[in-house]
Amino acid sequence: MDRYQQALAASQVLSDDEAVKAEVAKILENVPEYETREVYQFLFSSIDLTTLSSEDSQKSVAKFTERVNDFDNDYPQYKNVAAICVYSNFAEVVKTTLDVPGVDIAVVAGCFPSSQTFTAVKVADVAMAVASGANEVDIVFPLGMYFDENFEDLTDEIIELKHTAREAKLKVILETGALRTAENIKRASVLSLYSEADFLKTSTGKMYPGASLEAAWVMCQCIREYYQTTGRKVGFKASGGIRTTKDALGYYAIVKNVLGDEWLNQDLFRIGASSLANSLLSSMTGEEVKYF
């Protein structure tokens, strides 16, 4: 048994689909107690505000970033979003436009959303993005290698991309809608964790079904087990189809109940979204807001 199989075999995380659904259902019973403006404000400050359109341009991304700048003046009582997330080639645009503190520059890189290209191309993309100002890099888990059980090349690639990113956070997008089962999500989580990922992220939101609470539960259980084994904290990011305050509260409940309050900060918890920001802002202010 090689070291990849050993890591997978050692995990005790529950991966029966029906049992996972039952565990999630129990947690969701607690959601009403989280319906407070303090939680809404925390969730808003955990957003990676995202634009990933084929129509994105230097002008549109600069305008998008200016809106984040304006937020500090228009809503000084609230903490701003955690990061702006764009395609890798726009990292420099965000860097030169962003003038508010505490907002990170995140990019998707490595042939997002398919992860289907040469490893050398992925490495170059990550390196150029970081050199252009990105301090967070979201890459896609190589599904083809996973389904071929080519775990050595899979883990080597993620490790190489992490080393290329250097001090930038590396978020590995599992694409849970393609993995489908709790068992596959568990295995992909374990492989990514032992490949030096700084975050596990659910979905691209592009090619397959987006985030699900069941996937989030399995991923958070894997993060918890990994922390108990290694002492290293890895973050969790939900993304793909999270549009309403109600949606976001479900993921908050999963993280709080599985990982605990230690993970309820923007260094370890993120939500990738665009329309969610307006929904949370409306919940925070008590009136409908369409700011972003």
Side-chain angles (χ1 to χ4, degrees), residues 28-46:
L28 294 183
E29 293 175 2
N30 300 323
V31 166
E33 69 183 76
Y34 308 135
E35 294 173 350
T36 69
R37 290 191 179 181
E38 290 75 19
V39 172
Y40 302 153
Q41 289 171 28
F42 166 72
L43 288 168
F44 182 87
S45 70
S46 302

Side-chain angles (χ1 to χ4, degrees), residues 11-62:
S11 177
Q12 300 299 307
V13 171
L14 182 68
S15 60
D16 176 82
D17 289 312
E18 292 305 313
V20 169
K21 286 181 182 178
E23 292 296 324
V24 169
K26 291 178 190 175
I27 290 174
L28 294 183
E29 293 175 2
N30 300 323
V31 166
E33 69 183 76
Y34 308 135
E35 294 173 350
T36 69
R37 290 191 179 181
E38 290 75 19
V39 172
Y40 302 153
Q41 289 171 28
F42 166 72
L43 288 168
F44 182 87
S45 70
S46 302
I47 289 176
D48 286 358
L49 193 67
T50 302
T51 178
L52 296 173
S53 167
S54 297
E55 298 177 5
D56 286 344
S57 67
Q58 290 190 1
K59 288 182 179 179
S60 71
V61 171

